[in-house]
Amino acid sequence: MTKSIGFIDSGVGGLTVMKEAIKQLPNESMIYLGDSKRCPYGVKTTEEVRQYTWEMVQFLLEKQVKMIVIACNTATAAALEYIKEKVDIPVIGVIQPGSIAAANQTKNKQIAILATKGTIESGLYQKLIIEKDQDIIVEGKACLDFASIVENGEMGSQKAEKIVHEALVPLAKQKFDTVVLGCTHYPLLRESIQEVFGDEVCLIDAGAETVQHLMVLLHYFNLAETFETNPHPKREYYTTGNPQIFQEITHKWLSDDIIVQKVDLTTYQQGEHNMTKELLIATKNKGKAKEFEAIFAPFGYQVKTLLDYPEISDVEETGTTFEENARLKAETIANELHTLVLADDSGLMVDALEGRPGVYSARFAGEPKSDAANNAKLLVELGGLEGKDRSAHFHTTLVLAAPGVDPLVAEGDVFGQIATFPSGTDGFGYDPLFYFSEAKQTFAEMGLEEKNKVSHRTNAIKDLLTKWEDWFQENKEILVTL
């Protein structure tokens, strides 16, 4: 059976991407879903946008699409990495292609980004462009009413001309030679935008650039269709809003006789995403809390810690294994607060010390706990050992607990060796001494973002996520009541 490419957007804006895809990929079947009922996305919170995007993705998955294009810049910024982690088909967004094209186009290294408030505040365009060329100056402009103009079919009206002119004239007086249309609605206002900036300024259509990446991925994954394999491609259009208004705009833009069907996404609002939007991490360690927050944010979790619950007493770690300590904390707090709780017990295990300090890592040098004292004792105990004789690994055991269910247990490790002296200031605990050979730095030198890509906690979380769905389904009747 021939499978379709799925396109999702906050409304009609993503049709600019699909139009280009139809032009360049005439033999591909395509399904489009626009969430016009909840448009615009740019003024919504990141959590809301991520939830809405996940609901649309679930709709497309039921249609058995072979690839998903998040044809919305705001949704790309908020949800792309989260969605990619959750599905087993290719998913692409519109920000990276637009960023690359802009960085390649600019001659005077001055670029303006026109986008929604949410996309601008994410900083993703700025980050990707500067990563490509640090000399480029990037300025973002949130165009608050542009998407609404398009959704209401008011392109070309005097009202539209006035709003575009008032928003962009101050920006046009600057020296930008390249302007990114960082919302897929904006190409429908291209003439008005170009008139303000002048013909000498290049407008980058991030959506159109995305289709080039789409073509590459189709061939890379051997998913591309030809006239022989799909001579009569199908096009399906869905909206959560008014199908008549959506159909009128779609007909004008695509010049195609289409039928738009209305879809209700409320059936996708229950389940694992909502269950895990808020997660309590059983720790008061600020360094550890910051790591967990950075790790869980891309997956859509709002992380709380025991710092948010000062009335909760500390749970004494009396276990002799990582799992015993993590289970003790998770189950005790879950029962007390009647909520879902994730607890961890982590430690450093040094081969030459037969796995010590292990579960006693935080108090290796005794009480009161001191990172400096622990590091000093470790260096003394390793004495004159060198190279591979200083091998060690960080270990994490995670326990996810809720009242009345057997907890979920996951584990992760990262391997390295103990340096001969501490280096770096960004970590905590043994990070200044833990040398990660692949990065040729200690964990404290790597910085949080790079460290979180390889850390024992990240690896344990990956293990947790592979087990989560089965665990949730097994205990669903209890979990949904929390």
Side-chain angles (χ1 to χ4, degrees), residues 76-122:
T76 296
L80 176 62
E81 295 305 318
Y82 171 74
I83 300 300
K84 287 168 70 174
E85 288 285 344
K86 294 178 70 65
V87 303
D88 58 3
I89 60 174
V91 183
I92 63 174
V94 289
I95 292 182
Q96 185 178 41
S99 301
I100 294 172
N104 290 337
Q105 173 63 38
T106 183
K107 300 297 189 296
N108 69 359
K109 298 185 182 297
Q110 297 194 56
I111 297 174
I113 310 295
L114 309 184
T116 66
K117 179 175 178 286
T119 299
I120 295 300
E121 290 182 349
S122 77

Side-chain angles (χ1 to χ4, degrees), residues 142-440:
C143 305
L144 303 182
D145 297 319
F146 285 18
S148 297
I149 291 172
V150 174
E151 287 294 320
N152 294 328
E154 297 177 316
M155 304 83 72
S157 67
Q158 290 185 348
K159 175 183 177 181
E161 297 289 337
K162 182 175 184 292
I163 290 175
V164 171
H165 189 272
E166 290 179 351
L168 299 184
V169 162
L171 203 63
K173 293 179 180 179
Q174 301 181 46
K175 296 180 180 180
F176 302 108
D177 72 343
T178 303
V179 174
V180 178
L181 304 181
C183 172
T184 49
H185 285 76
Y186 296 0
L188 293 167
L189 299 169
R190 187 183 188 105
E191 291 184 7
S192 301
I193 295 171
Q194 191 77 72
E195 183 178 346
V196 174
F197 282 101
D199 293 338
E200 67 279 5
V201 173
C202 178
L203 301 186
I204 300 293
D205 182 345
E209 298 294 334
T210 300
V211 177
Q212 297 295 321
H213 286 236
L214 173 60
M215 293 172 66
V216 171
L217 287 178
L218 284 171
H219 288 285
Y220 177 81
F221 289 106
N222 197 28
L223 297 173
E225 300 289 352
T226 64
F227 180 80
E228 288 73 21
T229 60
N230 195 26
H232 305 292
K234 297 179 180 180
R235 312 275 191 256
E236 298 178 41
Y237 301 88
Y238 299 88
T239 180
T240 60
N242 187 319
Q244 183 177 352
I245 295 176
F246 194 95
Q247 185 163 323
E248 290 174 359
I249 297 173
T250 305
H251 176 71
K252 289 179 182 178
W253 183 241
L254 296 180
S255 300
D256 194 8
D257 291 328
I258 65 171
I259 297 176
V260 177
Q261 302 177 62
K262 187 170 183 177
V263 62
D264 183 0
L265 297 179
T266 57
T267 57
Y268 303 103
Q269 291 177 0
Q270 301 299 323
E272 76 172 278
H273 183 80
N274 283 344
M275 277 301 304
T276 60
K277 285 186 71 174
E278 185 173 296
L279 185 63
L280 173 60
I281 309 296
T283 184
K284 290 183 179 179
N285 183 312
K286 291 184 178 180
K288 187 183 294 186
K290 187 176 180 181
E291 284 191 10
F292 272 118
E293 185 176 12
I295 290 169
F296 273 100
F299 298 107
Y301 299 112
Q302 179 183 356
V303 169
K304 289 192 174 183
T305 72
L306 293 180
L307 297 172
D308 299 302
Y309 296 88
E311 71 278 9
I312 298 295
S313 301
D314 290 338
V315 178
E316 187 176 358
E317 298 179 9
T318 57
T320 58
T321 67
F322 293 112
E323 182 176 337
E324 287 178 0
N325 282 333
R327 185 185 290 261
L328 186 62
K329 289 185 288 185
E331 292 181 334
T332 300
I333 297 169
N335 289 327
E336 184 172 350
L337 296 179
H338 198 71
T339 191
L340 192 65
V341 177
L342 180 69
D344 86 304
D345 195 31
S346 304
L348 178 69
M349 305 181 74
V350 181
D351 294 336
L353 302 182
E354 298 182 345
R356 290 187 302 125
V359 294
Y360 305 105
S361 293
R363 49 191 184 277
F364 187 43
E367 298 288 353
K369 299 175 183 178
S370 167
D371 288 347
N374 289 337
N375 284 314
K377 181 177 180 180
L378 179 60
L379 289 176
V380 170
E381 291 214 12
L382 289 180
L385 296 179
E386 297 180 356
K388 294 181 179 179
D389 290 336
R390 302 175 74 89
S391 60
H393 68 276
F394 275 124
H395 175 85
T396 288
T397 296
L398 297 177
V399 173
L400 186 62
V405 303
D406 290 331
L408 174 60
V409 179
E411 296 181 313
D413 297 283
V414 61
F415 295 86
Q417 64 184 47
I418 305 303
T420 55
F421 57 87
S423 297
T425 58
D426 287 340
F428 67 98
Y430 296 94
D431 286 354
L433 283 179
F434 189 78
Y435 182 80
F436 185 58
S437 58
E438 292 182 23
K440 298 181 179 179

